[in-house]
Amino acid sequence: MMAEPVKLIGCFGSPFVHRVEVALRLKGVSYKLIEEDLNNKSDLLLKHNPFHQKVPVLLHGDRPAICESLIIIEYVDEAFHGPSLLPSDPYERAMARFWAAFMYKECKDSMWIALWMDGEVQAASTREMKANLTIIERQLPEGKKFFGGDTIGFLDIAVGGIAHWMGVFEEVAGVRLLTDKEHPALCRWARDYTVDETVRQCLPDRDRVVAALTPRKELYVSIANAMAAQKRSELYISQRNKWVTEASKQTLTMMAEPVKLIGCFGSAVVHRAEVALRLKGVPYELITEDLNNKSELLQRHNPVHQKVPVLLHGDRPAICESLVIVEYADEAFDGPLLMPADPLARATARFWASFMDKECREPMWMALWTDGEAQAAAARETKANLTLIESQLPEGKRFFGGDAIGYLDIALGAIAHWMGVFEEIAGVRLLTEEEHPALCRWAREYTADETVRQCLPDWDRVIAALTPRKELYISIAKAMAAQR
């Protein structure tokens, strides 16, 4: 594989492109960097990343393009020789993936609002961001230079934006979030990371980045305003509740028990974890949680999000996030493989799973719960997304995983069952035989599978449980539409 040319479509000053460059250099992979002007996107970028039209994009030989920085890093780690970036232990890999996702999902909004807003909104987000930094700092192994141990690894690369770009944005905004006084270990790590010879080779010049970003300050303020507006919505309140104060006091704890899954009735993401465990033949105890009255068990094992699913395996700390759990179950237990064997096929499955969660959720929600032109536009976007997903079904195969259910089938399982539930409550049709016959056929095959059926919640019970929340769903959709 090393003999084939490797090209990276990137742009100056991007922390996401930096991630990929560091991974390639640590693995000893020669590559050509193609610099993109994102204000005038090239045909090359539009051809190879038509969905997001963003960088980075990795081109390896004549294989299809690979997009999204963390997906590219895992592909590079699996496809090329050289020092491993992810730990060899399945649990440690799951933890690295979880904290990488935490960096993006939990830190992005709070950091942005803390940088670009003012008043109480800015103060609240500053407290939240500093709590996030405390949580990240705790993941540094005692006595080690890096999150990866003695050498830079996957998680160091994933959180590398803290080491260089946070200081750039602080300078442009005139705000300090990361200080030696409050986070001495994290600041020490940031210095060790940025002086590493391999990292330095692809770190953009700080003064050039400051000069490039300063003229965009008004744009950043407007983005922060939109983020703050969504944070005030019912969605944000229901998701966050009171995690900040709890998270700053707690860490994931140890339990001496077999496999247990903390879940709740009717959850599509809990279903993902259950299907994975059942397909792998893993016995488990399902602990049903009341999310309106969260238990001490849930708050102790997932203080960061206070959400389900949470997997407890023996005496190891808890594993959170449904797709992280699915990959952990695949790697930690015997049984049929859920992920493909080929690195490119694995990267592709991860990309489309991410596409489902990042690109499909909001337009689908607005198509269900708004009205007028906003609803019509969201419905068109949702149907276009469904067409893209449908095109990934292998010709002549029952499932995205081929002849058997695999990782991507599990990741997309909500289309097969929950979309119909929400359509019935909302009185809207998005997925039809006429427009998406292959996807509808797959949905029937998936829900009829005996293993899947064992952990599919009863349709009528889910309808009854979710219908009283209709007004909440409408308010969430309106907040999404306002941010857009």
Side-chain angles (χ1 to χ4, degrees), residues 34-63:
I34 303 170
E35 288 216 6
E36 182 73 26
D37 177 4
L38 296 182
N39 293 316
N40 185 25
K41 296 175 182 177
S42 69
D43 290 340
L44 184 70
L45 176 62
L46 298 176
K47 174 185 175 183
H48 288 293
N49 191 359
F51 313 116
H52 301 126
Q53 300 182 12
K54 297 177 183 177
V55 294
V57 178
L58 188 77
L59 307 176
H60 182 198
D62 59 0
R63 295 167 175 79

Side-chain angles (χ1 to χ4, degrees), residues 188-319:
R188 188 269 309 155
W189 164 83
R191 289 189 290 271
D192 284 337
Y193 179 82
T194 54
V195 300
D196 180 87
E197 186 56 35
T198 301
V199 171
R200 286 177 59 203
Q201 292 169 10
C202 51
L203 266 186
D205 178 75
R206 181 187 177 104
D207 292 338
R208 279 190 66 199
V209 180
V210 169
L213 300 184
T214 299
R216 304 178 190 174
K217 188 170 179 178
E218 290 305 313
L219 171 62
Y220 298 153
V221 172
S222 67
I223 293 171
N225 273 307
M227 288 177 171
Q230 178 148 353
K231 279 201 169 194
R232 290 191 291 268
S233 71
E234 291 279 0
L235 173 62
Y236 180 75
I237 294 169
S238 65
Q239 286 181 334
R240 294 302 184 90
N241 210 349
K242 52 186 181 180
W243 79 268
V244 172
T245 54
E246 293 296 327
S248 63
K249 300 175 184 176
Q250 301 181 44
T251 58
L252 301 172
T253 57
M254 306 287 282
M255 287 189 69
E257 298 170 333
V259 178
K260 298 184 178 183
L261 180 66
I262 305 175
C264 68
F265 172 75
S267 166
V269 288
V270 173
H271 171 76
R272 285 173 170 175
E274 286 203 83
V275 171
L277 291 169
R278 288 175 180 271
L279 287 172
K280 299 293 284 189
V282 179
Y284 65 96
E285 176 188 352
L286 178 63
I287 302 170
T288 302
E289 181 74 25
D290 177 4
L291 295 183
N292 293 317
N293 185 24
K294 295 174 183 176
S295 69
E296 186 274 336
L297 182 71
L298 175 62
Q299 294 181 60
R300 177 154 50 97
H301 287 290
N302 191 1
V304 177
H305 300 121
Q306 298 189 15
K307 296 179 186 175
V308 294
V310 178
L311 186 75
L312 308 176
H313 181 199
D315 59 357
R316 293 183 166 194
I319 304 166

Side-chain angles (χ1 to χ4, degrees), residues 4 18 27 90 106 121 136 172 217 221 229 243 256 280 290 296 349 420 441:
E4 297 176 287
H18 170 75
K27 298 291 283 192
E106 300 302 325
V121 172
I136 291 171
V172 176
K217 188 170 179 178
V221 172
W243 79 268
K280 299 293 284 189
D290 177 4
E296 186 274 336
R441 189 269 307 158

Side-chain angles (χ1 to χ4, degrees), residues 122-153:
Q122 192 270 348
S125 285
T126 297
R127 291 191 295 271
E128 183 179 336
M129 186 59 198
K130 289 183 177 182
N132 286 339
L133 292 173
T134 298
I135 293 168
I136 291 171
E137 185 176 56
R138 287 182 184 147
Q139 310 316 308
L140 278 164
E142 190 172 352
K144 301 293 184 181
K145 289 179 69 178
F146 301 109
F147 290 97
D150 295 318
T151 58
I152 290 172

Side-chain angles (χ1 to χ4, degrees), residues 309-350:
V310 178
L311 186 75
L312 308 176
H313 181 199
D315 59 357
R316 293 183 166 194
I319 304 166
C320 310
E321 297 262 336
S322 62
L323 294 180
V324 173
I325 292 172
V326 172
E327 286 212 53
Y328 174 76
D330 197 27
E331 296 168 348
F333 300 106
D334 294 327
L337 290 177
L338 305 178
M339 288 288 277
D342 175 68
L344 176 63
R346 284 199 294 275
T348 302
R350 291 181 182 123

